[in-house]
Amino acid sequence: MSRAAIRSYAMRIRKLLGYINTDFIHAPKLFDALSILFADQGLDFDYRIMPDDHEVFYDKEEAYTDMSTGIIYIKESVVEQACRRSFRRGAFTLIHELGHYLLHYLQNDVRLTRVADDVYVPPYCDPEWQADTFASEFLMPFEECIHMDEEEIRKTYHVSRMAAEVRYNKIQEELSR
């Protein structure tokens, strides 16, 4: 998927959920709401908060979406960060996994595998790039962020300094084309 397609999808999801572009997304509350919303529609949105040292996680992995079941596994520390609105990675990580769930798991014909670090995959074909792009577009809407600097993005959307910096730089790059 292209950045434009992911942006459009993320904005449709935001709108469907009743968020406006200036709204901060409290990711843990969103996950709870999605569990109820999906259940009301006869669908399954299952996430599990696990101890940080649980065997389901690879080294340095903060969360994981099982593409065979759709279950999202999240480290306790990540949820704690997201709940505190501590300007850390927690919210971005949760929405990144939501991106995997919506963009990849719900598409029945898509099955993902991990590839070696030295294998080139074009960004638009890379599920990690797609999930990162979804998280960025969903958490920090383009139309609002084009009028903000890095610090305004960080404070408005309660994201990490790195997420705000990357978002700002990508927007500047896109606007300069």
Side-chain angles (χ1 to χ4, degrees):
M1 292 179 74
S2 70
R3 178 176 296 283
I6 295 170
R7 177 177 297 149
S8 175
Y9 184 71
M11 291 302 93
R12 286 193 319 263
I13 299 294
R14 267 184 88 95
K15 186 175 182 179
L16 178 70
L17 294 172
Y19 291 112
I20 61 172
N21 283 355
T22 55
D23 284 345
F24 150 74
I25 306 289
H26 190 282
K29 287 182 181 178
L30 173 61
F31 270 47
D32 287 344
L34 288 174
S35 292
I36 295 165
L37 180 65
F38 275 62
D40 287 349
Q41 299 302 314
L43 300 169
D44 200 20
F45 180 77
D46 188 5
Y47 69 94
R48 300 179 186 174
I49 301 167
M50 311 296 285
D52 284 11
D53 61 353
H54 194 277
E55 65 189 23
V56 73
F57 303 111
Y58 284 108
D59 189 38
K60 298 182 182 177
E61 190 171 46
E62 296 177 329
Y64 165 71
T65 301
D66 184 327
M67 289 300 147
S68 64
T69 64
I71 298 171
I72 300 172
Y73 297 93
I74 310 160
K75 286 185 174 180
E76 287 176 322
S77 62
V78 172
V79 175
E80 288 170 9
Q81 284 177 7
C83 285
R84 286 195 312 261
R85 300 183 188 185
S86 60
F87 299 102
R88 295 206 176 116
R89 299 178 51 93
F92 193 92
T93 299
L94 291 175
I95 302 304
H96 171 100
E97 296 305 323
L98 178 61
H100 279 308
Y101 180 84
L102 295 173
L103 297 170
H104 306 131
Y105 173 72
L106 289 183
Q107 308 302 318
N108 294 331
D109 59 339
V110 175
R111 289 294 170 245
L112 306 177
T113 59
R114 295 177 190 258
V115 296
D117 289 338
D118 62 344
V119 174
Y120 176 74
V121 177
Y124 61 88
C125 293
D126 179 0
E128 293 304 316
W129 177 87
Q130 292 174 3
D132 278 347
T133 300
F134 176 84
S136 184
E137 296 291 343
F138 189 80
L139 288 171
M140 303 167 275
F142 180 81
E143 292 300 324
E144 293 300 319
C145 291
I146 59 175
H147 307 292
M148 298 180 179
D149 63 25
E150 295 170 35
E151 191 62 15
E152 289 172 312
I153 293 170
R154 186 179 78 83
K155 287 183 176 179
T156 300
Y157 298 109
H158 297 266
V159 295
S160 70
R161 193 168 306 284
M162 179 181 283
E165 180 181 326
V166 168
R167 183 67 171 144
Y168 177 82
N169 290 335
K170 295 277 185 193
I171 287 171
Q172 295 309 306
E173 181 183 306
E174 191 171 332
L175 292 175
S176 69
R177 287 186 207 149

